[in-house]
Amino acid sequence: MTLTERLREKISQAFYNHGLLCASYPIPIILFTGFCILACCYPLLKLPLPGTGPVEFTTPVKDYLPPPVDSDRKHREPNEQPEWYVGAPVAYIQQIFVKSSVFPWHKNLLAVDVFRSPLSRAFQLVEEIRNHVLRDSSGTRSLEEVCLQVTDLLPGLRKLRNLLPEHGCLLLSPGNFWQNDRERFHADPDIIRTIHQHEPKTLQTSATLKDLLFGVPGKYSGVSLYTRKRTVSYTITLVFQRYHAKFLSSLRARLMLLHPSPNCSLRAESLVHVHFKEEIGIAELIPLVTTYIILFAYIYFSTRKIDMVKSKWGLALAAVVTVLSSLLMSVGLCTLFGLTPTLNGGEIFPYLVVVIGLENVLVLTKSVVSTPVDLEVKLRIAQGLSSESWSIMKNMATELGIILIGYFTLVPAIQEFCLFAVVGLVSDFFLQMLFFTTVLSIDIRRMELADLNKRLPPEACLPPAKPVGRPARYERQLAVRPSTPHTITLQPSSFRNLRLPKRLRVIYFLARTRLAQRLIMAGTVVWIGILVYTDPAGLRTYLAAQVTEQSPLGEGALAPMPVPSGVLPASHPDPAFSIFPPDAPKLPENQTSPGEPPEYWGLAEGVPDSPVPEVTWGPEDEELWRKLSFRHWPTLFSYYNITLAKRYISLLPVIPVTLRLNPREALEGRHPQDRRSAWPPPGPLPDGQWEAGPKGPGGAQAHGDVTLYKVAALGLAAGIVLVLLLLCLYRILCPRNYGQPGGVSGRRRRGDLPCDDYGYTPPETEIVPLVLRGHLMDIECLASDGMLLVSCCLAGHVCVWDAQTGDCLTRIPRPRQRRDSGVGSVFEAQESWERLSDNGKAGPEESGDDSPLLRHRPRGPLPPSLFRDQPDLSCLIDTNFSTQLPPSESAQPEPRHRAGCSHTTQDSPGYDFSRLVQRVYQEEGLAATHTPALRPPSPGPPLPQVLEDEGGSPEKGSPSLAWGPSADGSIWSLELQGNLIVVGRSSGRLEVWDAIEGVLCCSSEEVSSGITALVFLDKRIVAARLNGSLDFFSLETHTALNPLQFRGTAGRGSSPTSPVYSSSDMVACHLTHTVPCAHQKPITALKAAAGRLVTGSQDHTLRVFRLEDSCCLFTLQGHSGAITTVYIDQTMVLASGGQDGAICLWDVLTGSRVSHMFAHRGDVTSLTCTTSCVISSGLDDLISIWDRSTGIKFYSIQQDLGCGASLGVISDNLLVTGGQGCVSFWDLNYGDLLQTVYLGKNSEAQPARQILVLDNAAIVCNFGSELSLVYVPSVLEKLD
Amino acid sequence: MPRLHDRFWSCPCAQRARRGGRPRAGAGLAAKGAEMLGSSALGSTLPAARDSRPAHGDRGAGTWHHDLVQRSLVLFLVGVGLALVLNLLQIQRNVTLFPEEVMATVFSSAWWVPPCCGTAAAVVGLLYPCIDSHLGEPHKFKREWASVMRCIAVFVGINHASAKLDFANNVQLSLTLAALSLGLWWTFDRSRSGLGLGITIAFLATLITQFLVYNGVYQYTSPDFLYIRSWLPCIFFSGGVTVGNIGRQLAMGVPEKPHSD
């Protein structure tokens, strides 16, 4: 027991150290491992590649006898003969190899002459062969008796019917192209066309007809107009059924006698047997394919489990590479020690992989990944390794044990398999420890970097799960970037590029490596090199000249060499046209002088005027058939329905035949058309016609053209020099880091984080949020129309803010309750009263002019703080004066002076107008001069005051009389349009307030059921109530206001006279329609757009109403839980989310459900759509982004706890989400975090509960009792 | 057969009971959500959430039936595929001989072989998880698709070996294969019920095969054990274990797409 423990300890310690080592020196270790792999795989080079190619076996001709049909295996030595060498071959193949040339070549001969007359000799040869008869003591024996008799061609080969022999000996020669008819050949005007007419147009590896008939590969035949070797080769192929040694030798002797080959060195002493393997059939392949499919499925399912790493695919690849290379290593090692595999490698390979398995790799990954995230990479790797060390070792030992048991089964195949598996296991372990661990460490390190971007896996985001994770991350972030809380940290864009589309990534890769440029450059250099070398005026000529000059032999040759008037030393224009060939001493027969008159018909024999192509026989000719396609013979035999699969043929040694024709014979063989078509009339033919030949007949024009070539060559040379010069200039002048900003500094910064791969550092931008303070308790409702912002807190206060400047314009306090609980606000009493009042008095100017930044940066702007402080005071005061005076008057003028006091009043007593006024008067010492008549709608005077301070509301308090205090309830919903605020209360009361003045315009409380949701759209108000009924109101304004203008003056503040705001505007609210029982249960969601109103209720249904006539169009059923959120926009897209965690998309026109997605565990808390996607958030604190058309989830974002519902869409591709004291901007298309804005340290603890996006690129988010107003122009610029 | 039926229907109950846990967790979530949403208007979410419960349960049962059909279909297909491939292997190596007249049909094996194997695979594959849940010891060992694939690969390998390896004598071959089969069970199953069921299957299937061969439906080339090859029980045993493995994985991994080749 203790031994095990100690062993365990030791192993764990060893693995720990090893992990440290691997993570510390990743690159050297990977290099070392790669070297090991290569070294172990080296012996594999000696192994024959598996394939279906033919196998050869050679026996000497002498005393050859076909092997017996059923040779006794016992007596055969193992190495001597292959297994297939049993029985007679399918056929014996005798090739008669003809090489022919027109010997004394005369310059006046045409290119066609090279092959026309040699080919015509084929007919004669075939005749000779056919008529060969062996006469000896046993009688006569003709070819017909020994040759392979063939019958019909396959029916599919009608095209070849005339070309291949049928019903007779299988004898192939080029003459078959002309049906072995000499006349036909002579009448053929274009031989080459005839030969090539059966060539396939496409690339084809198997034997073509030309190859079959010529018996030599196409390029060796020499039948071409543009060949320099004037030798034509072809074979006459004879196929014998039986081996008749005497007949064959007599044939050979006769042919050699007739056409002697003087310098032939062919030995002709071996017989080659070629065995063709069986063609693999589909049935044979099916089990194999199945095992491979299973293998791939295994690999797929295994690697799929790799998770929480940086690059899943990279690690999966590494795992597969580990296993495969360990197998290769095992085979290599086994081969090295002399064990040659006899099993079919392809068959056992999948089993080997399965036996070795990917498990260890996965276990390693899992264990490393599950180590604490905040540790150093080295330590993580080491810990992960050591914690799994014991199980890895145990598994390994078990597997080795099993395999060793298998080894003792003493079945050779199993033993071999086990041997491979053991070596594979060991090498796999080696690779796991060195290669995979190192790759993993690199991956983890990369992920650590990405970690800074809060790209943590979901589990790690939850504080309870990993308590250390979060603080550590923050610390690290601060350490990396010591920034003020308001600084926006732009994430390094390399991380932003993580999810670029593939094509972009490819392009970036190309751009980064400058692959194209380098390729082009290399190509140019090579091209120039080739040009320089092969150019007529170029290097080669020059070198050749130099060589000949230096060689002692060449001294004599240099003299006659004319030096043309070239600039370049090597500007010998063209050897083809050279008068004296540069290699004159080597090829003395190549001498013709231009001045020599062309001797047209002077074909005197023995006047060699061009090099004679020597007909030579080398060892390579002996087995020219090897150069044929390996499917040559199977193809030939398959034409006659004879299969060579699993059988063999024997190739007899070739019989060389040399044909030497003289020019006269060649001329006689000409076809009249040859000269006309192929060649211009002889005339004064330039010398060296053959050298000029390859350039086509047109190339050999006239002697006078030489100057033209000279000029061209000169120009070319000049161009090359120019290019080289430019290249040098480029190298010298342009630094390597061309295009990178700042040269050296850019390079240095590359290592830093905020710099992306291309050396581009994004500018650091700061965003300073405006902090709006003024609420006592958590803000609950937010509404905005872009200009104004209305917020309502749990305490029931409503604040109206200017969305541009963040000024608080109006405060509407909660009517009653506040009075009692006013003392409760003591908690804010620390704020000094004097400062407040001072600020209050000086407020208008200061708050208007001073930007909040100047004052109090981290804390947020001062004016907000001013506002925030006000309530407390008011409360205190209110309690004092609460019950003093009856509500009688509203005093317009006084409050104006006393800003501080007025606002205090406003807050605490709420709408209890009498008290307010009373108190005010007391403080002011003024008599109550008020006119009760003023109450209903407040006249002009109060306005200015409202503008200055929020104090305005109390004066307007007069309307508050209209609502009975008892009817007050908490505010449940809030809407804003223009300057009108619509408030729905829990008491069922609907109020319309003037946002600027803080005046209650009208109210309605016919139903006592609380208003859960409101829609305010175009003078139409829809209120949804707790009892499931819907009320439609219409607003009538008697005087149209211009809110903008009005607010403009207000913003400046302190304008006592606001002529705009006359007392003439009357707002009336009429109940137009009521849908008494729209839903059975409380209506929880209400949205309107595009003339439609959508309600969602807890009764699991949605209803769609027409806004004009409040007619119910559809009832949508599909959720299995209460509806929590609804989205509808102008494009009639309707989305709904429910407590069942599902999102439904509906077609508003037809009322049908378009798609249904199970989105979240728990409720869907908010939902919004862009043109392409649907964004939802749920109680599981995930924000998920879905494809709108298909309903497929793109990705999801893990949110901080409690911030799940805060999200907003700024543009089609910019999403903003809230977090703990911060907001984050995401690129919607790729899911990349663009930046995170921290909104003050003190608010860090507060999660952003709501986010509202205003249309002027600002977002408002709600941190507890504060609002933050953030402008995001920089982000918008970046994206749009 | 009726008993088998009972088992099928007893499983859904257990399954449903297990599923009961999830909705309750959902209620908790809903409560949390309600808290976080604040004390505002929508106070009555919880009752509604509770109302939605019955609907959940009904749907769960419905999907279970669907699930059963789907599983048996997948198992059937797997059985058919394996039968085709492995039979082909045996026929190629001339281990199994079918009468001449059936040779011309699909993949040169008798038409009734794949459906039979498919049905058997479906039954066995459903039986394994059922017995597991009956015994109250759900199979937890290496429950993942990668392991299942490995198991299938080893099974195919055993078949391959039985068809292709040249052994000195049949006893050796049979012993080797028996060891391999046991190794398969040990590596991928390790449950008593798996072992027991595997042995039962091997026994029954061998009996059936012997019956078939005795009646001349087909034959083996070199029978060494009552008209059949002595390694046949090993093959059946490992096949049973393999199919059981697949069945268990299918039974638990509902969301995961099963692989069928």
PDB file of all heavy atoms in Angstrom, chain A residues 283 304-305 347 351 354 359 409 411 780 972 1081, chain B residues 40-41 51-52 92 144 150 160 164 167 172 256:
ATOM      1  N   ALA A 283     -16.532  -4.806 -53.597  1.00  0.00           N
ATOM      2  CA  ALA A 283     -16.916  -5.676 -52.496  1.00  0.00           C
ATOM      3  C   ALA A 283     -15.757  -5.852 -51.536  1.00  0.00           C
ATOM      4  O   ALA A 283     -15.932  -5.920 -50.324  1.00  0.00           O
ATOM      5  CB  ALA A 283     -17.366  -7.026 -53.042  1.00  0.00           C
ATOM      6  N   ARG A 304     -14.056  16.006 -30.486  1.00  0.00           N
ATOM      7  CA  ARG A 304     -15.120  16.949 -30.201  1.00  0.00           C
ATOM      8  C   ARG A 304     -15.165  17.293 -28.729  1.00  0.00           C
ATOM      9  O   ARG A 304     -15.681  18.315 -28.323  1.00  0.00           O
ATOM     10  CB  ARG A 304     -16.449  16.360 -30.649  1.00  0.00           C
ATOM     11  CG  ARG A 304     -17.448  17.412 -31.018  1.00  0.00           C
ATOM     12  CD  ARG A 304     -18.666  16.781 -31.558  1.00  0.00           C
ATOM     13  NE  ARG A 304     -19.289  15.906 -30.572  1.00  0.00           N
ATOM     14  CZ  ARG A 304     -20.554  15.534 -30.636  1.00  0.00           C
ATOM     15  NH1 ARG A 304     -21.286  15.949 -31.617  1.00  0.00           N
ATOM     16  NH2 ARG A 304     -21.072  14.749 -29.748  1.00  0.00           N
ATOM     17  N   LYS A 305     -14.621  16.413 -27.952  1.00  0.00           N
ATOM     18  CA  LYS A 305     -14.691  16.651 -26.523  1.00  0.00           C
ATOM     19  C   LYS A 305     -13.666  17.678 -26.063  1.00  0.00           C
ATOM     20  O   LYS A 305     -13.748  18.154 -24.939  1.00  0.00           O
ATOM     21  CB  LYS A 305     -14.452  15.337 -25.781  1.00  0.00           C
ATOM     22  CG  LYS A 305     -15.637  14.409 -25.878  1.00  0.00           C
ATOM     23  CD  LYS A 305     -15.459  13.215 -24.992  1.00  0.00           C
ATOM     24  CE  LYS A 305     -14.321  12.370 -25.487  1.00  0.00           C
ATOM     25  NZ  LYS A 305     -14.140  11.162 -24.722  1.00  0.00           N
ATOM     26  N   GLU A 347      -5.179  -2.464 -43.744  1.00  0.00           N
ATOM     27  CA  GLU A 347      -6.248  -3.130 -43.017  1.00  0.00           C
ATOM     28  C   GLU A 347      -6.080  -3.012 -41.518  1.00  0.00           C
ATOM     29  O   GLU A 347      -7.047  -2.815 -40.798  1.00  0.00           O
ATOM     30  CB  GLU A 347      -6.306  -4.600 -43.419  1.00  0.00           C
ATOM     31  CG  GLU A 347      -7.358  -4.863 -44.453  1.00  0.00           C
ATOM     32  CD  GLU A 347      -7.314  -6.283 -44.925  1.00  0.00           C
ATOM     33  OE1 GLU A 347      -6.905  -7.162 -44.155  1.00  0.00           O
ATOM     34  OE2 GLU A 347      -7.688  -6.512 -46.085  1.00  0.00           O
ATOM     35  N   TYR A 351      -7.275  -0.400 -36.724  1.00  0.00           N
ATOM     36  CA  TYR A 351      -7.320  -1.070 -35.435  1.00  0.00           C
ATOM     37  C   TYR A 351      -6.192  -0.604 -34.539  1.00  0.00           C
ATOM     38  O   TYR A 351      -6.358  -0.460 -33.334  1.00  0.00           O
ATOM     39  CB  TYR A 351      -7.273  -2.584 -35.628  1.00  0.00           C
ATOM     40  CG  TYR A 351      -8.384  -3.077 -36.494  1.00  0.00           C
ATOM     41  CD1 TYR A 351      -8.149  -3.815 -37.623  1.00  0.00           C
ATOM     42  CD2 TYR A 351      -9.693  -2.753 -36.186  1.00  0.00           C
ATOM     43  CE1 TYR A 351      -9.180  -4.242 -38.429  1.00  0.00           C
ATOM     44  CE2 TYR A 351     -10.730  -3.174 -36.976  1.00  0.00           C
ATOM     45  CZ  TYR A 351     -10.472  -3.920 -38.103  1.00  0.00           C
ATOM     46  OH  TYR A 351     -11.490  -4.333 -38.896  1.00  0.00           O
ATOM     47  N   VAL A 354      -7.154   2.615 -33.099  1.00  0.00           N
ATOM     48  CA  VAL A 354      -8.172   2.462 -32.064  1.00  0.00           C
ATOM     49  C   VAL A 354      -7.562   1.903 -30.785  1.00  0.00           C
ATOM     50  O   VAL A 354      -7.894   2.309 -29.685  1.00  0.00           O
ATOM     51  CB  VAL A 354      -9.309   1.571 -32.592  1.00  0.00           C
ATOM     52  CG1 VAL A 354     -10.154   1.080 -31.463  1.00  0.00           C
ATOM     53  CG2 VAL A 354     -10.143   2.351 -33.567  1.00  0.00           C
ATOM     54  N   GLU A 359      -7.455   8.620 -25.973  1.00  0.00           N
ATOM     55  CA  GLU A 359      -7.989   8.926 -24.651  1.00  0.00           C
ATOM     56  C   GLU A 359      -7.027   9.736 -23.799  1.00  0.00           C
ATOM     57  O   GLU A 359      -7.396  10.722 -23.188  1.00  0.00           O
ATOM     58  CB  GLU A 359      -8.350   7.632 -23.923  1.00  0.00           C
ATOM     59  CG  GLU A 359      -9.811   7.276 -24.015  1.00  0.00           C
ATOM     60  CD  GLU A 359     -10.212   6.915 -25.418  1.00  0.00           C
ATOM     61  OE1 GLU A 359      -9.332   6.477 -26.167  1.00  0.00           O
ATOM     62  OE2 GLU A 359     -11.386   7.085 -25.765  1.00  0.00           O
ATOM     63  N   THR A 409      -0.039 -15.348 -27.768  1.00  0.00           N
ATOM     64  CA  THR A 409      -0.954 -16.281 -28.428  1.00  0.00           C
ATOM     65  C   THR A 409      -0.225 -17.102 -29.463  1.00  0.00           C
ATOM     66  O   THR A 409      -0.742 -18.101 -29.941  1.00  0.00           O
ATOM     67  CB  THR A 409      -2.083 -15.529 -29.132  1.00  0.00           C
ATOM     68  OG1 THR A 409      -1.497 -14.526 -29.953  1.00  0.00           O
ATOM     69  CG2 THR A 409      -3.033 -14.879 -28.148  1.00  0.00           C
ATOM     70  N   VAL A 411       0.246 -16.652 -32.461  1.00  0.00           N
ATOM     71  CA  VAL A 411      -0.246 -16.610 -33.832  1.00  0.00           C
ATOM     72  C   VAL A 411       0.550 -15.518 -34.533  1.00  0.00           C
ATOM     73  O   VAL A 411       0.605 -14.394 -34.031  1.00  0.00           O
ATOM     74  CB  VAL A 411      -1.740 -16.262 -33.866  1.00  0.00           C
ATOM     75  CG1 VAL A 411      -2.229 -16.231 -35.289  1.00  0.00           C
ATOM     76  CG2 VAL A 411      -2.504 -17.260 -33.050  1.00  0.00           C
ATOM     77  N   GLU A 780     -36.228  52.247 -12.017  1.00  0.00           N
ATOM     78  CA  GLU A 780     -36.983  51.102 -12.481  1.00  0.00           C
ATOM     79  C   GLU A 780     -37.425  51.243 -13.924  1.00  0.00           C
ATOM     80  O   GLU A 780     -37.276  50.324 -14.719  1.00  0.00           O
ATOM     81  CB  GLU A 780     -38.203  50.946 -11.591  1.00  0.00           C
ATOM     82  CG  GLU A 780     -38.823  49.601 -11.746  1.00  0.00           C
ATOM     83  CD  GLU A 780     -40.083  49.524 -10.966  1.00  0.00           C
ATOM     84  OE1 GLU A 780     -40.391  50.494 -10.279  1.00  0.00           O
ATOM     85  OE2 GLU A 780     -40.756  48.508 -11.077  1.00  0.00           O
ATOM     86  N   TRP A 972     -45.680  51.914 -12.664  1.00  0.00           N
ATOM     87  CA  TRP A 972     -45.355  50.638 -13.274  1.00  0.00           C
ATOM     88  C   TRP A 972     -44.877  50.796 -14.704  1.00  0.00           C
ATOM     89  O   TRP A 972     -44.217  49.944 -15.236  1.00  0.00           O
ATOM     90  CB  TRP A 972     -46.573  49.713 -13.252  1.00  0.00           C
ATOM     91  CG  TRP A 972     -46.727  49.005 -11.948  1.00  0.00           C
ATOM     92  CD1 TRP A 972     -45.950  49.151 -10.837  1.00  0.00           C
ATOM     93  CD2 TRP A 972     -47.716  48.031 -11.630  1.00  0.00           C
ATOM     94  NE1 TRP A 972     -46.382  48.345  -9.852  1.00  0.00           N
ATOM     95  CE2 TRP A 972     -47.477  47.637 -10.297  1.00  0.00           C
ATOM     96  CE3 TRP A 972     -48.782  47.475 -12.330  1.00  0.00           C
ATOM     97  CZ2 TRP A 972     -48.262  46.692  -9.658  1.00  0.00           C
ATOM     98  CZ3 TRP A 972     -49.561  46.541 -11.689  1.00  0.00           C
ATOM     99  CH2 TRP A 972     -49.306  46.144 -10.358  1.00  0.00           C
ATOM    100  N   LYS A1081     -55.197  36.753 -18.328  1.00  0.00           N
ATOM    101  CA  LYS A1081     -54.269  36.986 -17.240  1.00  0.00           C
ATOM    102  C   LYS A1081     -53.557  38.307 -17.481  1.00  0.00           C
ATOM    103  O   LYS A1081     -53.692  38.888 -18.548  1.00  0.00           O
ATOM    104  CB  LYS A1081     -53.262  35.830 -17.184  1.00  0.00           C
ATOM    105  CG  LYS A1081     -53.900  34.539 -16.745  1.00  0.00           C
ATOM    106  CD  LYS A1081     -52.886  33.569 -16.256  1.00  0.00           C
ATOM    107  CE  LYS A1081     -53.600  32.396 -15.617  1.00  0.00           C
ATOM    108  NZ  LYS A1081     -52.662  31.322 -15.344  1.00  0.00           N
TER     109      LYS A1081
ATOM    110  N   SER B  40     -41.454  45.260  -8.980  1.00  0.00           N
ATOM    111  CA  SER B  40     -42.410  46.074  -9.727  1.00  0.00           C
ATOM    112  C   SER B  40     -43.654  45.280 -10.107  1.00  0.00           C
ATOM    113  O   SER B  40     -43.934  44.219  -9.570  1.00  0.00           O
ATOM    114  CB  SER B  40     -41.749  46.619 -10.968  1.00  0.00           C
ATOM    115  OG  SER B  40     -41.551  45.558 -11.850  1.00  0.00           O
ATOM    116  N   ALA B  41     -44.284  45.790 -11.064  1.00  0.00           N
ATOM    117  CA  ALA B  41     -45.625  45.366 -11.415  1.00  0.00           C
ATOM    118  C   ALA B  41     -45.804  43.862 -11.580  1.00  0.00           C
ATOM    119  O   ALA B  41     -46.733  43.282 -11.028  1.00  0.00           O
ATOM    120  CB  ALA B  41     -46.015  46.029 -12.705  1.00  0.00           C
ATOM    121  N   ASP B  51     -48.189  27.172 -13.605  1.00  0.00           N
ATOM    122  CA  ASP B  51     -49.260  26.666 -14.478  1.00  0.00           C
ATOM    123  C   ASP B  51     -48.708  25.938 -15.686  1.00  0.00           C
ATOM    124  O   ASP B  51     -49.320  25.032 -16.214  1.00  0.00           O
ATOM    125  CB  ASP B  51     -50.115  27.837 -14.972  1.00  0.00           C
ATOM    126  CG  ASP B  51     -50.969  28.369 -13.848  1.00  0.00           C
ATOM    127  OD1 ASP B  51     -51.091  27.658 -12.824  1.00  0.00           O
ATOM    128  OD2 ASP B  51     -51.489  29.463 -13.982  1.00  0.00           O
ATOM    129  N   SER B  52     -47.581  26.384 -16.108  1.00  0.00           N
ATOM    130  CA  SER B  52     -47.065  25.812 -17.346  1.00  0.00           C
ATOM    131  C   SER B  52     -46.524  24.404 -17.123  1.00  0.00           C
ATOM    132  O   SER B  52     -46.141  23.752 -18.062  1.00  0.00           O
ATOM    133  CB  SER B  52     -45.958  26.684 -17.901  1.00  0.00           C
ATOM    134  OG  SER B  52     -44.842  26.600 -17.041  1.00  0.00           O
ATOM    135  N   GLN B  92     -16.526 -13.420 -48.294  1.00  0.00           N
ATOM    136  CA  GLN B  92     -15.341 -13.267 -49.123  1.00  0.00           C
ATOM    137  C   GLN B  92     -14.280 -14.290 -48.755  1.00  0.00           C
ATOM    138  O   GLN B  92     -13.581 -14.808 -49.607  1.00  0.00           O
ATOM    139  CB  GLN B  92     -14.762 -11.874 -48.926  1.00  0.00           C
ATOM    140  CG  GLN B  92     -15.318 -10.875 -49.898  1.00  0.00           C
ATOM    141  CD  GLN B  92     -14.857  -9.498 -49.524  1.00  0.00           C
ATOM    142  OE1 GLN B  92     -14.042  -9.325 -48.630  1.00  0.00           O
ATOM    143  NE2 GLN B  92     -15.371  -8.516 -50.211  1.00  0.00           N
ATOM    144  N   GLU B 144     -19.660   7.819 -23.562  1.00  0.00           N
ATOM    145  CA  GLU B 144     -19.450   8.869 -24.546  1.00  0.00           C
ATOM    146  C   GLU B 144     -19.331   8.224 -25.914  1.00  0.00           C
ATOM    147  O   GLU B 144     -18.999   7.046 -26.022  1.00  0.00           O
ATOM    148  CB  GLU B 144     -18.193   9.659 -24.215  1.00  0.00           C
ATOM    149  CG  GLU B 144     -16.982   8.773 -24.089  1.00  0.00           C
ATOM    150  CD  GLU B 144     -15.911   9.409 -23.235  1.00  0.00           C
ATOM    151  OE1 GLU B 144     -16.192  10.436 -22.623  1.00  0.00           O
ATOM    152  OE2 GLU B 144     -14.811   8.870 -23.199  1.00  0.00           O
ATOM    153  N   ARG B 150     -15.057   3.394 -30.471  1.00  0.00           N
ATOM    154  CA  ARG B 150     -13.920   2.514 -30.247  1.00  0.00           C
ATOM    155  C   ARG B 150     -14.399   1.081 -30.098  1.00  0.00           C
ATOM    156  O   ARG B 150     -13.803   0.142 -30.634  1.00  0.00           O
ATOM    157  CB  ARG B 150     -13.219   2.969 -28.971  1.00  0.00           C
ATOM    158  CG  ARG B 150     -11.743   2.828 -29.034  1.00  0.00           C
ATOM    159  CD  ARG B 150     -11.136   3.375 -27.783  1.00  0.00           C
ATOM    160  NE  ARG B 150      -9.771   2.942 -27.680  1.00  0.00           N
ATOM    161  CZ  ARG B 150      -9.046   3.099 -26.597  1.00  0.00           C
ATOM    162  NH1 ARG B 150      -9.567   3.678 -25.553  1.00  0.00           N
ATOM    163  NH2 ARG B 150      -7.807   2.692 -26.571  1.00  0.00           N
ATOM    164  N   HIS B 160     -12.989  -9.226 -38.194  1.00  0.00           N
ATOM    165  CA  HIS B 160     -11.956  -9.245 -39.220  1.00  0.00           C
ATOM    166  C   HIS B 160     -10.961 -10.361 -38.932  1.00  0.00           C
ATOM    167  O   HIS B 160     -10.598 -11.150 -39.801  1.00  0.00           O
ATOM    168  CB  HIS B 160     -11.238  -7.891 -39.178  1.00  0.00           C
ATOM    169  CG  HIS B 160     -10.687  -7.484 -40.483  1.00  0.00           C
ATOM    170  ND1 HIS B 160     -10.980  -6.281 -41.055  1.00  0.00           N
ATOM    171  CD2 HIS B 160      -9.863  -8.117 -41.317  1.00  0.00           C
ATOM    172  CE1 HIS B 160     -10.363  -6.191 -42.196  1.00  0.00           C
ATOM    173  NE2 HIS B 160      -9.673  -7.279 -42.386  1.00  0.00           N
ATOM    174  N   LYS B 164     -10.018 -13.426 -41.297  1.00  0.00           N
ATOM    175  CA  LYS B 164      -8.809 -13.329 -42.111  1.00  0.00           C
ATOM    176  C   LYS B 164      -7.594 -14.019 -41.526  1.00  0.00           C
ATOM    177  O   LYS B 164      -6.666 -14.329 -42.259  1.00  0.00           O
ATOM    178  CB  LYS B 164      -8.479 -11.848 -42.330  1.00  0.00           C
ATOM    179  CG  LYS B 164      -9.412 -11.198 -43.333  1.00  0.00           C
ATOM    180  CD  LYS B 164      -8.714 -10.097 -44.069  1.00  0.00           C
ATOM    181  CE  LYS B 164      -9.561  -9.662 -45.248  1.00  0.00           C
ATOM    182  NZ  LYS B 164      -8.993  -8.548 -45.955  1.00  0.00           N
ATOM    183  N   PHE B 167      -4.961 -19.399 -38.466  1.00  0.00           N
ATOM    184  CA  PHE B 167      -4.530 -19.983 -37.206  1.00  0.00           C
ATOM    185  C   PHE B 167      -4.136 -21.426 -37.429  1.00  0.00           C
ATOM    186  O   PHE B 167      -4.565 -22.068 -38.383  1.00  0.00           O
ATOM    187  CB  PHE B 167      -5.656 -19.914 -36.170  1.00  0.00           C
ATOM    188  CG  PHE B 167      -5.757 -18.591 -35.507  1.00  0.00           C
ATOM    189  CD1 PHE B 167      -6.465 -17.558 -36.098  1.00  0.00           C
ATOM    190  CD2 PHE B 167      -5.130 -18.362 -34.302  1.00  0.00           C
ATOM    191  CE1 PHE B 167      -6.549 -16.349 -35.493  1.00  0.00           C
ATOM    192  CE2 PHE B 167      -5.219 -17.143 -33.692  1.00  0.00           C
ATOM    193  CZ  PHE B 167      -5.931 -16.121 -34.285  1.00  0.00           C
ATOM    194  N   GLN B 172      -7.228 -22.666 -30.980  1.00  0.00           N
ATOM    195  CA  GLN B 172      -6.444 -21.468 -30.719  1.00  0.00           C
ATOM    196  C   GLN B 172      -7.205 -20.222 -31.131  1.00  0.00           C
ATOM    197  O   GLN B 172      -7.292 -19.234 -30.393  1.00  0.00           O
ATOM    198  CB  GLN B 172      -5.142 -21.585 -31.501  1.00  0.00           C
ATOM    199  CG  GLN B 172      -4.073 -20.682 -30.953  1.00  0.00           C
ATOM    200  CD  GLN B 172      -2.805 -20.803 -31.755  1.00  0.00           C
ATOM    201  OE1 GLN B 172      -2.839 -21.273 -32.898  1.00  0.00           O
ATOM    202  NE2 GLN B 172      -1.713 -20.408 -31.168  1.00  0.00           N
ATOM    203  N   GLU B 256     -27.668  14.349 -28.443  1.00  0.00           N
ATOM    204  CA  GLU B 256     -26.580  14.162 -29.386  1.00  0.00           C
ATOM    205  C   GLU B 256     -27.060  13.368 -30.586  1.00  0.00           C
ATOM    206  O   GLU B 256     -27.820  12.425 -30.477  1.00  0.00           O
ATOM    207  CB  GLU B 256     -25.432  13.440 -28.711  1.00  0.00           C
ATOM    208  CG  GLU B 256     -24.730  14.323 -27.728  1.00  0.00           C
ATOM    209  CD  GLU B 256     -23.427  13.715 -27.280  1.00  0.00           C
ATOM    210  OE1 GLU B 256     -23.411  12.507 -27.051  1.00  0.00           O
ATOM    211  OE2 GLU B 256     -22.467  14.445 -27.160  1.00  0.00           O
TER     212      GLU B 256
END
